[in-house]
Amino acid sequence: MVTNLLLTFVICRLLSTVGLTVDPTELLRLGIDGQLSVDAAEVETASVDFGGMSRVKPLAVLHPACAEDIAGLVRAAYGSSQGFTVSAKGHGHSINGQAQTANGVVIKMSGSKVETRLISGKPAWPSIFLGEKFSYVDVWGGELWIDVLKSTLEYGLAPKSWTDYLYLSVAGTLSNAGISGQAFNHGPQISNVYELDVVTGKGELLTCSEEQNSDLFHGVLGGLGQFGIITRARIALEPAPQRVRWIRVLYSNFSSFTKDQEFLISLHGMPASEKFDYVEGFVIVDEGLINNWRSSFFSPSNPVKISSLGANGGVLYCLEITKNYDESTANTIDQEVEALMKKLDFIPASVFTTDVLYVDFLDRVHKAELKLRSKGLWDVPHPWLNIFVPKSRIADFDKGVFKGILGNNTSGPILIYPMNRNKWDERSSVVTPDEDIFYVVALLRSALDSGEETKTLEYLTNQNRQILRFCDEAGIKAKQYLPLYTTQEEWMDHFGDKWPLFLKRKIEFDPKRILATGQRIFQPSFTSPAASWSS
Ligand SMILES: Cc1cc2nc3c(=O)[nH]c(=O)nc-3n(C[C@H](O)[C@H](O)[C@H](O)COP(=O)(O)OP(=O)(O)OC[C@H]3O[C@@H](n4cnc5c(N)ncnc54)[C@H](O)[C@@H]3O)c2cc1C
Ligand SMILES: *[C@@H]1O[C@H](CO)[C@@H](O)[C@H](O)[C@H]1NC(C)=O
Ligand SMILES: *[C@@H]1O[C@H](CO)[C@@H](O)[C@H](O)[C@H]1NC(C)=O
Ligand SMILES: CC(=O)N[C@H]1CO[C@H](CO)[C@@H](O)[C@@H]1O
């Protein structure tokens, strides 16, 4: 069967670099008629994101039909004397305008009609490779993970490492890391990529991997879009399980909670039957939260009364674990789960179990999205904060933030789960704390204009600052995930030891600093000719 993942293109018109200025009507004369648009509605769509806090209009929007279209546009930007910027936009699920750009073109990577026909019946790259030792799929960078999943499931295969939500583009998550409850075992999504096609900031289309152009490969993974635009990614696959046993248990004692999480992720080297496949957790600071958008799990047939569980200080912690299975293991799943659960120290009366199809588990957040959309609660500002906290300080973070700064109203789910750093490749651009185990803490907040002060954007934004300041002052060497900084000093501090390499790669692969300026790490050379490279 020919899958819709085949992304080879019959006709790819090249852009000419002649006569370019940054006047949008001039941009339209680049020779890619019908693909560069200055349509008001398109420009408007390209100027917003999920965060809903930043609005920046580009000059034009490119609908690429193939990787060469992107290379042509970037070559035009690179060669232009006046200069313009180029930002790839995946599904626009950034929080702070990371995919936006003012003086340039936004490339609509997701949802554009990328050519899927084959060159004379033969794909230039195979879509799915089924090997005895390993399998993979080649996908367009703008492909959404949900579509990757649907296509690979037709072959009984699926990617190994996920995000909680699947309506994100492959390249968008690979530019950050891509984490979920499988990361302790398989590493983040950037640890599960074999090869990439990348258009650099000079407009060269290069294939890269561990062996070939390896510096570009490692740089782009977690690279915040700074070194190139990913047009193709080769993603590792495994046989897809059929079903998932999905369990939530509660703790009132934070140290028991983290001890159990750390125990469970220490099992990563064990045979599949002796570990869970997914380990996450969340913080429940009030009873209202238990009815939030991620916890429909508990109700209505599973009502939870915090008061009856003896939470001290009102804070409870929920461990969320799953075990995959299929027909061949259906008869042993109960024993395997029981054997693992025996080793945990949760509140005995607090076990909530359900059993769902693998695809329904992976796509769980979409259900919540539909519910929130129907109530008009999806398109609201999202002042999210994601932090990696080293294991040695997570208890201090609990005291200072969950039991301190947050008070009783958090305006959204708070995820917390540990990961093993040895599953992260040191050579990638992503920055983690300097310990073997670190936690992600994700405050996934929605701001509302309900008249309550604690729900406003201003209140939540201030609280985020307060949390970061707390980490600083307590000497918790936390690192932001999906980082937001505005000065180069802050970015240098964020990257720490990795900054010199990050800068070197920038100079090599995007010397005019035209790519992904919405990350606010570098100023394009043409807007600040005086700004020299810092080191
Ligand atoms: C509801 C929701 C749930 C989420 N859950 C998780 C989660 O569980 N785990 C997790 O790790 N993250 C999660 N995220 C964060 C998400 O991974 C990032 O925001 C990601 O960048 C979103 O992908 P996108 O396609 O929307 O990217 P965009 O917002 O479109 O782009 C993000 C950045 O990547 C760059 N970029 C986009 N496409 C390309 C490309 N082809 N090549 C190079 N650079 C490119 C952009 O220029 C921009 O700088 C979640 C976000 C949301 C809104
Ligand atoms: C929490 O559990 C730890 C062991 O993990 C124990 O030492 C401590 O006393 C417990 N705290 C409370 C308040 O029960
Ligand atoms: C949270 O609410 C509980 C009672 O519901 C109260 O005892 C506690 O002081 C509150 N905490 C904060 C920080 O407001
Ligand atoms: C501490 C605080 O601000 N508590 C408020 C949390 O939200 C509820 C309603 O959702 C208010 O009643 C509390 O006063």
Side-chain angles (χ1 to χ4, degrees):
M1 198 200 111
V2 175
T3 87
N4 59 0
L5 292 173
L6 294 172
L7 296 158
T8 310
F9 319 104
V10 178
I11 308 160
C12 274
R13 283 156 295 185
L14 294 179
L15 292 161
S16 110
T17 60
V18 182
L20 184 76
T21 74
V22 279
D23 177 347
T25 55
E26 293 284 328
L27 275 178
L28 289 178
R29 284 182 216 143
L30 281 171
I32 45 163
D33 46 324
Q35 296 180 45
L36 256 184
S37 167
V38 290
D39 176 73
E42 297 231 34
V43 168
E44 174 61 22
T45 305
S47 72
V48 295
D49 63 18
F50 179 82
M53 296 176 288
S54 154
R55 175 182 295 263
V56 173
K57 282 192 179 180
L59 300 173
V61 177
L62 177 77
H63 292 256
C66 59
E68 264 306 328
D69 282 351
I70 295 170
L73 178 77
V74 177
R75 273 199 300 276
Y78 181 65
S80 145
S81 53
Q82 218 168 326
F84 64 93
T85 53
V86 176
S87 281
K89 181 178 183 182
H91 211 222
H93 276 49
S94 292
I95 295 302
N96 295 287
Q98 283 90 340
Q100 299 166 3
T101 191
N103 295 302
V105 177
V106 164
I107 305 179
K108 189 174 184 318
M109 296 298 293
S110 301
S112 280
K113 284 204 178 59
V114 175
E115 268 297 346
T116 57
R117 282 169 293 172
L118 313 180
I119 294 175
S120 37
K122 257 198 350 218
W125 59 71
S127 75
I128 290 195
F129 171 81
L130 278 157
E132 256 175 45
K133 293 221 176 89
F134 64 97
S135 301
Y136 60 73
V137 64
D138 279 311
V139 297
W140 174 249
E143 196 95 40
L144 301 187
W145 283 101
I146 181 71
D147 296 322
V148 176
L149 175 63
K150 284 179 181 163
S151 309
T152 57
L153 279 178
E154 289 178 23
Y155 295 81
L157 298 168
K160 302 173 181 179
S161 183
W162 293 98
T163 49
D164 293 346
Y165 177 64
L166 306 185
Y167 290 73
L168 306 168
S169 79
V170 167
T173 73
L174 295 183
S175 296
N176 286 292
I179 52 170
S180 185
Q182 303 85 9
F184 80 94
N185 193 21
H186 292 296
Q189 290 181 322
I190 53 172
S191 296
N192 292 275
V193 179
Y194 295 134
E195 190 179 284
L196 300 169
D197 281 348
V198 173
V199 174
T200 70
K202 299 178 195 167
E204 310 154 292
L205 176 55
L206 300 175
T207 298
C208 59
S209 65
E210 293 247 346
E211 288 82 35
Q212 189 182 0
N213 295 314
S214 61
D215 205 38
L216 179 62
F217 180 70
H218 296 302
V220 163
L221 295 172
L224 306 173
Q226 295 307 300
F227 312 115
I229 295 172
I230 301 168
T231 55
R232 178 185 61 103
R234 178 167 288 179
I235 313 285
L237 300 176
E238 65 179 2
Q242 288 163 351
R243 297 196 66 85
V244 171
R245 183 66 53 85
W246 182 4
I247 300 155
R248 287 177 174 176
V249 294
L250 298 176
Y251 296 76
S252 55
N253 183 329
F254 186 72
S255 110
S256 309
F257 169 71
T258 51
K259 197 167 107 293
D260 281 358
Q261 279 194 324
E262 287 165 23
F263 163 68
L264 291 173
I265 72 160
S266 77
L267 302 176
H268 64 89
M270 301 296 283
S273 59
E274 291 168 49
K275 63 188 169 194
F276 284 109
D277 292 292
Y278 163 105
V279 177
E280 282 204 9
F282 49 93
V283 183
I284 303 168
V285 294
D286 72 14
E287 220 155 294
L289 247 177
I290 216 146
N291 299 316
N292 74 39
W293 60 289
R294 289 210 180 194
S295 48
S296 54
F297 193 92
F298 291 118
S299 55
S301 53
N302 271 341
V304 176
K305 273 259 163 252
I306 290 193
S307 46
S308 70
L309 294 167
N312 79 59
V315 181
L316 279 179
Y317 307 93
C318 177
L319 171 68
E320 181 175 60
I321 43 195
T322 75
K323 198 144 182 44
N324 302 335
Y325 68 102
D326 51 32
E327 277 151 19
S328 67
T329 48
N331 53 344
T332 54
I333 174 88
D334 290 342
Q335 291 117 278
E336 287 171 13
V337 166
E338 207 183 300
L340 282 162
M341 299 287 283
K342 262 195 204 141
K343 299 180 181 159
L344 305 180
D345 193 17
F346 50 84
I347 301 170
S350 72
V351 184
F352 304 88
T353 302
T354 187
D355 198 287
V356 295
L357 285 173
Y358 187 55
V359 56
D360 290 339
F361 171 71
L362 291 180
D363 200 25
R364 62 201 178 279
V365 175
H366 185 54
K367 279 206 185 117
E369 173 186 356
L370 296 178
K371 246 192 256 172
L372 285 180
R373 279 190 187 281
S374 71
K375 295 184 197 157
L377 294 175
W378 185 257
D379 289 321
V380 298
H382 293 107
W384 286 12
L385 181 63
N386 284 268
I387 342 182
F388 291 151
V389 180
K391 170 190 144 171
S392 65
R393 303 302 303 275
I394 195 69
D396 299 319
F397 190 92
D398 173 57
K399 278 193 212 96
V401 179
F402 303 146
K403 296 194 176 101
I405 293 170
L406 285 184
N408 285 352
N409 295 285
T410 61
S411 294
I414 305 169
L415 311 186
I416 172 173
Y417 57 93
M419 290 170 284
N420 296 307
R421 197 167 68 129
N422 64 4
K423 302 280 179 179
W424 294 60
D425 193 326
E426 271 298 306
R427 296 166 297 180
S428 81
S429 291
V430 73
V431 183
T432 69
D434 197 14
E435 283 185 21
D436 290 346
I437 293 172
F438 61 88
Y439 282 79
V440 61
V441 176
L443 296 124
L444 309 180
R445 353 181 72 181
S446 299
L448 298 177
D449 258 335
S450 61
E452 275 175 71
E453 193 225 343
T454 58
K455 295 196 165 41
T456 61
L457 180 58
E458 193 192 352
Y459 182 89
L460 295 173
T461 309
N462 279 332
Q463 204 173 54
N464 286 347
R465 276 194 216 110
Q466 216 183 328
I467 292 168
L468 291 171
R469 204 177 324 124
F470 163 78
C471 289
D472 257 5
E473 285 169 4
I476 298 175
K477 294 203 170 69
K479 291 290 178 189
Q480 282 190 49
Y481 176 57
L482 313 170
L484 168 69
Y485 295 107
T486 49
T487 69
Q488 198 159 74
E489 258 161 28
E490 290 171 318
W491 280 112
M492 287 167 72
D493 189 49
H494 170 75
F495 282 105
D497 293 349
K498 281 196 171 179
W499 175 253
L501 182 58
F502 197 82
L503 185 65
K504 180 180 155 284
R505 285 169 172 167
K506 187 70 175 177
I507 292 169
E508 180 173 356
F509 299 117
D510 181 20
K512 290 199 173 172
R513 298 162 254 164
I514 56 183
L515 298 178
T517 48
Q519 297 277 3
R520 294 189 264 179
I521 306 173
F522 300 101
Q523 294 264 319
S525 56
F526 58 84
T527 58
S528 57
S532 58
W533 294 101
S534 334
S535 53

